[in-house]
Amino acid sequence: MADSVGKWAAGASYGPVLSQTDLYLLKTDLELNPIIAGQHDSFHLVFNLSTGQTGGFNHEARDRDLQFTARDEPATLPRVSQLIIITQQSPWCTIVKNERGVTLSDVCTTVWKDYTEYYVADPEFATLPPRYQEAVKRAAMHNTQPTGQYYYQPPPPPNRYKRIDWLRDRIFFEGLKKMDHYCVSRLGFKAPNIFVMELAA
């Protein structure tokens, strides 16, 4: 009878939520939900970091879009109250928190807000080579253009850039994965709740 509820079922009562301290003391490995690991059999998540839109498709039937109905499923097992997400495409850490357990929706919403609401600091922008600075400027111009209008006054070039502009054209979420060697080289430590986000154009 216990098998009738899947292990990724949405809901707060299906397992304890480990705090970051609990997780580190227990030294427990986390299993990623197959949807955000990019390993689900019948659902491939399509998440645009620029717009925040989520959806998906089935590899067997690519001709139709699917709704992201699993958004309230836990992001990991065991369930945790905090995840740390980094990517090789940007210098920032996204910290996803939910005391009732981080869900797939929490991951998508927090990553989207982190990249669309925060600006790149001038010293951060100055670290980019000139060629990448130009690519970021072009991305910013593209991201500020209104959609669906054929005749419009082009906006002036932005003088500040958002984190999403830093990613240039790599704005589609591909999945999360463990890369302890990269975490140590980037952060100086590894932890069970640190995952690397892969992005695609």
Side-chain angles (χ1 to χ4, degrees):
M1 197 66 171
D3 293 334
S4 61
V5 176
K7 70 179 183 178
W8 298 108
S13 302
Y14 297 127
V17 176
L18 301 182
S19 69
Q20 187 148 314
T21 304
D22 295 335
L23 187 63
Y24 291 1
L25 288 174
L26 293 171
K27 297 181 179 155
T28 301
D29 288 332
L30 295 179
E31 180 184 356
L32 276 171
N33 187 309
I35 290 175
I36 57 171
Q39 299 170 345
H40 197 276
D41 292 336
S42 60
F43 185 85
H44 179 84
L45 177 64
V46 177
F47 167 35
N48 182 327
L49 273 68
S50 181
T51 63
Q53 289 182 314
T54 55
F57 63 87
N58 183 335
H59 292 288
E60 308 275 320
R62 292 177 179 244
D63 58 329
R64 60 190 157 114
D65 294 336
L66 300 174
Q67 296 294 316
F68 184 31
T69 56
R71 67 181 67 250
D72 295 323
E73 290 183 6
T76 64
L77 279 181
R79 298 162 196 248
V80 293
S81 61
Q82 182 173 306
L83 290 180
I84 300 168
I85 299 173
I86 59 177
T87 181
Q88 293 175 309
Q89 278 75 43
S90 81
W92 302 287
C93 290
T94 298
I95 300 175
V96 185
K97 294 182 179 181
N98 185 339
E99 292 305 315
R100 295 183 316 264
V102 173
T103 65
L104 300 179
S105 178
D106 295 326
V107 170
C108 294
T109 303
T110 306
V111 167
W112 171 63
K113 286 184 175 183
D114 238 23
Y115 279 88
T116 58
E117 292 181 358
Y118 293 102
Y119 287 93
V120 176
D122 291 339
E124 291 170 337
F125 187 72
T127 64
L128 289 173
R131 187 171 64 111
Y132 284 107
Q133 288 183 6
E134 288 305 314
V136 169
K137 289 176 184 179
R138 283 193 303 275
M141 284 294 294
H142 178 267
N143 291 336
T144 57
Q145 288 180 355
T147 57
Q149 295 181 3
Y150 296 104
Y151 302 103
Y152 68 95
Q153 180 69 29
N159 57 0
R160 294 184 70 197
Y161 309 102
K162 292 190 175 181
R163 291 179 177 180
I164 192 69
D165 303 326
W166 184 287
L167 300 177
R168 300 175 301 277
D169 62 344
R170 299 187 70 134
I171 59 170
F172 286 96
F173 179 89
E174 276 293 300
L176 298 180
K177 69 182 199 177
K178 288 295 289 178
M179 291 178 61
D180 287 341
H181 61 284
Y182 177 69
C183 293
V184 170
S185 69
R186 164 104 176 251
L187 303 174
F189 72 102
K190 63 181 181 177
N193 64 335
I194 301 177
F195 294 96
V196 177
M197 175 173 63
E198 296 185 310
L199 299 169

